[in-house]
Amino acid sequence: MTADPAKFNGVWIKDTTDGDMTDFLKFNNVGMLMRQAAWAFGYGKGVSRARNVFADGVMYEEVLVFIDKVGWWFLGGRSTLDGSRQKIAMFEGAPMIPPTMYWVESRLTDTGLESDLFTMGGERHSRAVRSVSEDGNTLTTEITIFDGDKEYKIKTTHNKSTEETETMPALEDLTASCPVVVSVDVPEGSTYKKSVISESLEEYFSSPEQCLDAVVKFFKETQPQGDEKETSLEEVSDTEFIVHITNQDDSKAAKHSKVDRDEGTVTVTYKIGDDAHVDFFFRVHKDPVRVQVSNTFPNEDQILFESYMWAQKVLNGILPRSK
């Protein structure tokens, strides 16, 4: 009998990490100082988190990514548990281990959730077997990493969170529910050095112009999020609009958007008062239709993480959920 996928649902907090971690980190080109820091940090014990939702044969997974004194993000994606080969972005270990694109084959068995990872060139990378204890409170992951004729073994455990503040968001609020893969591998010659790009959207849009219109509509119809209390739209011209924001503490902010239809771009500038905080760039590509996202945050890892999150947010907002 196969494992019950619903047992994997929830927010999981890292507890123990055992095995060949030093060899694994060396395998991923992590230097000695960073390896020592990871060990001193307990490899994320009590801090690292994962959140999973299983629905309709699909596992949606996000991991907590943290940059000291900068911020944190839940980043991830989705995979169908039918054993088929699918593309995913792997954020486990980021930013110490750079996010990487892999092929994954996932399936439910009588031992748990099994996933085989392959490089984009098709070389076998690793195998993970996850299982949940009978009481549903401990998630155990046993990983084998393949390095030529060598194998490294790692075993981790996570405890299920019981904190009310860490309840799972609704599936539609998970960025990982994005129906299209977002890649951290950007084509050569890209205008944006650090950015992300979606897979083809031609299943959803008949032209890049139609896709650009959907992106513009998404930002015009932005609703209050997080600490925001209310928003209002100001149409400045055919190519410029402002979403004014009032926060819960009555402070003011705004998102200034400029549309360049010849270039297929939307530039969104987030302002606090009169001061520009960050620019986001959304470019719609042709042949095939894809959306690329970048921004001007000073930290390169933050650029990538924020771009990935916002790419998924926008795609979740403009694509139908039935796909």
Side-chain angles (χ1 to χ4, degrees):
M1 187 175 74
T2 58
D4 179 6
K7 294 184 73 173
F8 294 90
N9 291 354
V11 178
W12 300 90
I13 303 172
K14 173 72 79 68
D15 186 20
T16 63
T17 301
D18 298 299
D20 304 320
M21 279 300 296
T22 297
D23 290 328
F24 169 66
L25 293 175
K26 287 180 179 179
F27 172 68
N28 282 281
N29 300 312
V30 177
M32 182 179 68
L33 292 179
M34 290 300 294
R35 296 198 305 268
Q36 290 176 337
W39 174 81
F41 191 53
Y43 301 112
K45 179 180 175 67
V47 177
S48 295
R49 280 157 169 72
R51 52 189 192 185
N52 306 329
V53 175
F54 177 83
D56 299 324
V58 179
M59 183 65 79
Y60 304 88
E61 303 177 77
E62 295 178 343
V63 296
L64 180 68
V65 177
F66 176 80
I67 303 177
D68 188 33
K69 299 179 182 178
V70 175
W72 57 269
W73 304 259
F74 272 106
L75 302 173
R78 52 186 274 167
S79 58
T80 303
L81 305 186
D82 59 2
S84 63
R85 186 167 288 195
Q86 304 153 69
K87 191 182 292 187
I88 63 164
M90 181 66 70
F91 286 90
E92 192 74 42
M96 182 172 58
I97 299 173
T100 306
M101 300 304 299
Y102 290 102
W103 294 108
V104 64
E105 299 173 2
S106 296
R107 66 198 67 79
L108 285 168
T109 69
D110 55 355
T111 57
L113 175 56
E114 298 182 0
S115 298
D116 289 297
L117 241 60
F118 302 83
T119 67
M120 297 309 295
E123 184 178 350
R124 194 178 192 191
H125 177 273
S126 58
R127 182 166 219 236
V129 180
R130 286 176 282 181
S131 58
V132 178
S133 59
E134 288 189 11
D135 63 8
N137 293 324
T138 303
L139 171 66
T140 300
T141 305
E142 297 182 74
I143 307 167
T144 303
I145 299 97
F146 304 101
D147 180 13
D149 59 355
K150 300 177 183 177
E151 292 185 3
Y152 309 129
K153 303 278 188 179
I154 297 171
K155 182 177 180 179
T156 67
T157 60
H158 289 70
N159 296 324
K160 195 166 192 177
S161 174
T162 58
E163 297 292 330
E164 292 183 5
T165 56
E166 292 193 304
T167 55
M168 281 299 301
L171 177 59
E172 58 269 20
D173 293 329
L174 285 175
T175 56
S177 65
C178 179
V180 172
V181 174
V182 174
S183 176
V184 296
D185 292 340
V186 175
E188 289 186 16
S190 172
T191 304
Y192 310 111
K193 190 173 178 182
K194 279 283 186 179
S195 61
V196 302
I197 192 166
S198 74
E199 295 287 280
S200 173
L201 301 175
E202 294 190 347
E203 180 181 359
Y204 304 91
F205 299 107
S206 59
S207 68
E209 292 78 15
Q210 185 186 32
C211 181
L212 183 64
D213 286 341
V215 174
V216 171
K217 183 173 184 287
F218 171 86
F219 283 107
K220 284 187 175 182
E221 296 180 353
T222 296
Q223 298 299 309
Q225 304 175 39
D227 295 331
E228 299 170 356
K229 181 166 61 175
E230 57 186 19
T231 59
S232 62
L233 174 65
E234 177 188 352
E235 298 271 11
V236 178
S237 68
D238 290 342
T239 60
E240 187 175 354
F241 59 92
I242 303 171
V243 175
H244 296 278
I245 301 167
T246 301
N247 295 311
Q248 295 293 343
D249 62 1
D250 291 326
S251 61
K252 304 293 184 181
K255 292 176 183 175
H256 292 240
S257 296
K258 293 183 179 180
V259 183
D260 187 329
R261 294 194 175 277
D262 291 334
E263 293 293 326
T265 61
V266 180
T267 301
V268 182
T269 301
Y270 183 78
K271 291 188 174 183
I272 301 174
D274 294 327
D275 297 326
H277 182 62
V278 64
D279 294 328
F280 271 85
F281 310 107
F282 298 84
R283 177 181 292 274
V284 177
H285 288 253
K286 305 175 183 179
D287 194 27
V289 177
R290 296 189 290 175
V291 173
Q292 184 178 7
V293 183
S294 188
N295 62 72
T296 59
F297 279 113
N299 182 290
E300 287 196 355
D301 290 319
Q302 184 180 12
I303 291 174
L304 188 65
F305 300 157
E306 290 278 356
S307 295
Y308 187 87
M309 181 182 71
W310 273 100
Q312 288 189 323
K313 278 188 176 183
V314 171
L315 291 170
N316 271 335
I318 68 176
L319 299 181
R321 289 287 179 171
S322 59
K323 292 284 186 179

